[in-house]
Amino acid sequence: MPLPFLTADRELDTRAAEYAALPHDEPDHWRRPYRPGPWRVGTAAVFLLLASFVLLSAMIIAMAGSLPGAVVCVLVGALMIAFALRLLRVGIWVSAHGLRQVNLLRTATEPWSAIASVRTRQQPVRWLGLPRTVQGQALIVERTQGAPLRALITDHNGDFLSRPEGFERAADVLEAWAAEYRV
C-alpha cells in the first residue's frame, strides 16, 4: 500500500496548493471565492480556545454545586463559540443568484441584475477592521440604483493582510463572477 504523504520522493509544492483556485462546480450554491485569511482563522481559534476554558470552568463549577454559575459559564461559552463561527463566515459569498456580503451582525444580498460594476480602487482602507486607516486597495461594488456598497474586501482586512497576491486573485475572481452573471 503506497503512502505518498509519508515518502520523501514526492515533490512538495505547498505554495501552489495554497494558492490554487477553489472549484465552483455548482454555481447555484453560495460559496466564498477565496480562503479565509490567517488573521481571521487565528482570531476564531483563540476564541474557540477561550470557549473551551470557559466550558471546562462551567463543568468544575457545576461539580462544586453552584448550578446558576455553571449555567452562566455555559451561556458565555456558547456565545464565544457562536462568535467564532460567525467570524469564520464573514466575507463575500457568490452564486449565480447574486453577491452576498456577510458581516458579524448582518448579511446583505444583491442580485447580479442590481450590480452595475465590480472593480478595485485605491483609497484609504481600515486596517484589520479597526478605526485606523491606511492607503490600500478596496473592491467596490456599484449598484445600478442607489449608493454603492461599502468596500467588500480590502487588502488590509483579516483575509488579505500580508497576502497581496491573494487579494488580487480574489478581486479577479469576483470581477469574473460579476462579468459572467450580470445582465
Side-chain angles (χ1 to χ4, degrees):
M1 173 170 84
L3 298 173
F5 59 90
L6 295 177
T7 61
D9 60 349
R10 185 173 65 98
E11 185 176 326
L12 295 175
D13 190 11
T14 58
R15 188 166 176 92
E18 179 183 344
Y19 293 119
L22 298 177
H24 59 281
D25 296 335
E26 300 174 9
D28 289 335
H29 289 97
W30 290 100
R31 72 194 74 250
R32 185 191 330 235
Y34 57 89
R35 288 178 171 82
W39 287 92
R40 186 174 309 283
V41 173
T43 304
V46 167
F47 273 101
L48 288 174
L49 182 66
L50 291 174
S52 69
F53 289 133
V54 169
L55 292 174
L56 181 65
S57 67
M59 183 183 70
I60 293 170
I61 291 171
M63 288 183 181
S66 176
L67 206 53
V71 169
V72 169
C73 283
V74 166
L75 289 176
V76 168
L79 285 174
M80 291 174 84
I81 291 171
F83 176 77
L85 293 177
R86 185 64 181 188
L87 186 65
L88 288 174
R89 287 200 47 90
V90 166
I92 303 302
W93 297 74
V94 292
S95 78
H97 305 292
L99 184 122
R100 181 172 286 171
Q101 185 176 19
V102 178
N103 295 325
L104 272 177
L105 299 177
R106 69 183 182 112
T107 300
T109 303
E110 289 289 328
W112 289 116
S113 59
I115 294 175
S117 69
V118 177
R119 60 187 172 82
T120 58
R121 182 170 68 190
Q122 285 283 337
Q123 70 179 35
V125 295
R126 295 172 65 180
W127 184 75
L128 286 176
L130 299 172
R132 177 180 175 218
T133 60
V134 295
Q135 190 65 26
Q137 290 186 8
L139 187 73
I140 305 295
V141 172
E142 293 182 4
R143 297 189 237 184
T144 54
Q145 296 176 354
L149 293 175
R150 69 177 189 83
L152 294 182
I153 58 174
T154 67
D155 60 348
H156 286 81
N157 70 1
D159 290 323
F160 301 111
L161 186 66
S162 73
R163 292 185 341 152
E165 57 275 341
F167 172 78
E168 293 295 329
R169 192 173 38 262
D172 290 343
V173 168
L174 286 169
E175 288 172 359
W177 272 82
E180 183 176 349
Y181 289 105
R182 268 187 320 186
V183 176

